[in-house]
Amino acid sequence: MSTHPIQFLSLTEFRSYERLDFGVAGRSVYLYGPNGAGKTNLLEAISVLNPGKGLRGAAYSELGRRPTDEAHGRPWGVVARLHAGEDEVQLATGSDPRDRAKRTVRIDQQPVPAAQLLDHLRMIWLTPAQDRLFIEARNDRLKFFDRLVYAADPGHAAIVAAYEKALRERMKLLTEGPADETWLSVLEQKLAANGTRMIEARQAALQALQIEIDGHESAFPKADLSLTGTYETGDYLIKGFRNNRDRDGAAGRSLFGPHRMDLAVVHRDKTRPAADCSTGEQKALLLNIILAQGARLSAFKPVLLLDEVAAHLDPLRRHALFDETHALGLQTFFTGTDLSLFDGLLGRALGVRVEAAQILEMLE
């Protein structure tokens, strides 16, 4: 099923919002206002309408509004209405009343697994925390890339989760014992089976994304992508896990396997690794990847969440970003402190002034 633009949002006790009802009518939106106004909180609310954690990676127990005189956050909820042809679909998620660390998910008021949200809404986001993606820990880049993978292949998330569960169980046997040969072999076969599927999904996504980058005309520098680390499959993985038991046990962590893969990015025109590029060039490369991902998933009409992106671009590239997201036909939510940042969106998106977790003004 293809996805559909967001028509209406409702937040209850989410972060700084006590209550917000927000009609966007499927339009792109730019949110502007002072720091701390609640702009990113609104993007985060949209982001939890997908499986997994939201764009900040916060625990569900942290999402509820917490007045200063209360010890814990309040039960929270986010609801969105989406158009599905002539009909509407309602997506809802919020605190699980039985366990604050969990959440409930409903589609048209019926409880469903979170993975089913992807049948109706897919997202791509870029936040200031990702500005250092190319120079931070390898694991952060792999998580970023895996999110790109399962935006097109939702089953990838479950495979990664199953792999990581088996990896933890194997490590517990190796470090705490008993290191039962039979059970270790069973776990390592599971790791190899899921690891093979992970590698194949990542390679397929990388190839598709690179093809989109190569064919997509953009004002942003083209990125050449590759995956490094373990990428052989099948029996190679089984043997690798078996041969690394002693080393992994001594280290207290698994030093072999597809969880050790990394995303390598090179600035094509300068033939320079992204990590060696300037901060501005790194941001531009990230945008090249994000826009290509949007084009790759255009059949699903993903929603783009671009937090504080415009402020870090010169006017030429800022207008190019607006032009490209508009040309892709994707509903995009931008944030920034100054209205002047969004002059290139006048008449093409809904402008919303946010202050103290309230919508004060709308500009058509």
Side-chain angles (χ1 to χ4, degrees), residues 79-349:
V79 178
R81 291 205 305 266
L82 288 72
H83 270 175
E86 297 181 357
D87 301 319
E88 282 191 340
V89 174
Q90 184 186 84
L91 309 184
T93 186
S95 302
D96 187 329
R98 297 164 297 181
D99 186 346
R100 294 174 56 84
K102 297 180 180 179
R103 64 163 173 167
T104 61
V105 175
R106 294 176 180 269
I107 297 178
D108 288 335
Q109 302 183 9
Q110 297 301 311
V112 297
Q116 288 191 23
L117 292 168
L118 292 172
D119 291 341
H120 302 280
L121 185 61
R122 304 195 189 188
M123 294 181 210
I124 307 166
W125 61 66
L126 188 60
T127 71
Q130 294 168 319
D131 286 352
R132 296 174 58 83
L133 185 72
F134 299 128
I135 57 178
E136 294 287 3
R138 169 197 57 79
N139 193 47
D140 292 335
R141 283 186 295 280
L142 190 57
K143 285 182 178 179
F144 167 81
F145 184 66
D146 273 338
R147 180 166 286 278
L148 300 183
V149 176
Y150 77 67
D153 179 9
H156 180 67
I159 294 168
V160 172
Y163 175 91
E164 291 177 345
K165 182 175 183 291
L167 198 68
R168 291 192 298 270
E169 292 175 351
R170 174 179 176 270
M171 280 308 307
K172 187 173 182 179
L173 288 179
L174 293 177
T175 56
E176 300 178 17
D180 180 79
E181 171 66 30
T182 300
W183 186 231
L184 279 171
S185 294
V186 169
L187 288 173
E188 287 165 358
Q189 288 172 6
K190 289 183 179 179
L191 286 168
N194 286 312
T196 294
R197 295 173 71 185
M198 285 164 55
I199 292 169
E200 291 174 348
R202 287 169 179 166
Q203 290 176 328
L206 185 100
Q207 182 179 18
L209 188 56
Q210 189 66 66
I211 289 172
E212 200 63 57
I213 289 172
D214 293 345
H216 179 69
E217 290 300 321
S218 176
F220 298 94
K222 290 188 183 294
D224 286 325
L225 311 177
S226 61
L227 289 167
T228 64
T230 300
Y231 56 87
E232 295 186 52
T233 58
D235 289 343
Y236 172 83
L237 291 178
I238 293 177
K239 293 176 183 177
F241 285 119
R242 182 185 302 123
N243 293 339
N244 278 274
R245 287 177 185 174
D246 290 342
R247 188 173 70 138
D248 290 352
R253 56 196 176 97
S254 297
L255 300 173
F256 170 85
H259 62 284
R260 304 284 299 173
M261 296 176 81
D262 195 0
L263 173 67
V265 178
V266 172
H267 188 303
R268 179 179 298 177
D269 290 342
K270 297 191 173 183
T271 61
R272 181 183 299 167
D276 295 340
C277 293
S278 70
T279 302
E281 288 172 333
Q282 290 183 36
K283 187 80 168 188
L285 286 166
L286 266 175
L287 283 167
N288 176 244
I289 294 170
I290 292 296
L291 290 167
Q293 174 79 344
R296 180 170 85 97
L297 300 181
S298 59
F300 298 103
K301 298 181 181 176
V303 170
L304 304 186
L305 306 176
L306 303 180
D307 190 22
E308 297 289 349
V309 169
H312 300 285
L313 300 174
D314 60 53
L316 184 63
R317 279 192 170 155
R318 189 161 63 241
H319 282 254
L321 173 62
F322 300 153
D323 289 343
E324 290 189 35
T325 56
H326 184 73
L328 287 170
L330 304 180
Q331 187 178 29
T332 307
F333 289 79
F334 301 91
T335 68
T337 54
D338 298 318
L339 177 60
S340 61
L341 292 171
F342 303 109
D343 57 357
L345 286 174
L346 293 176
R348 297 198 291 186

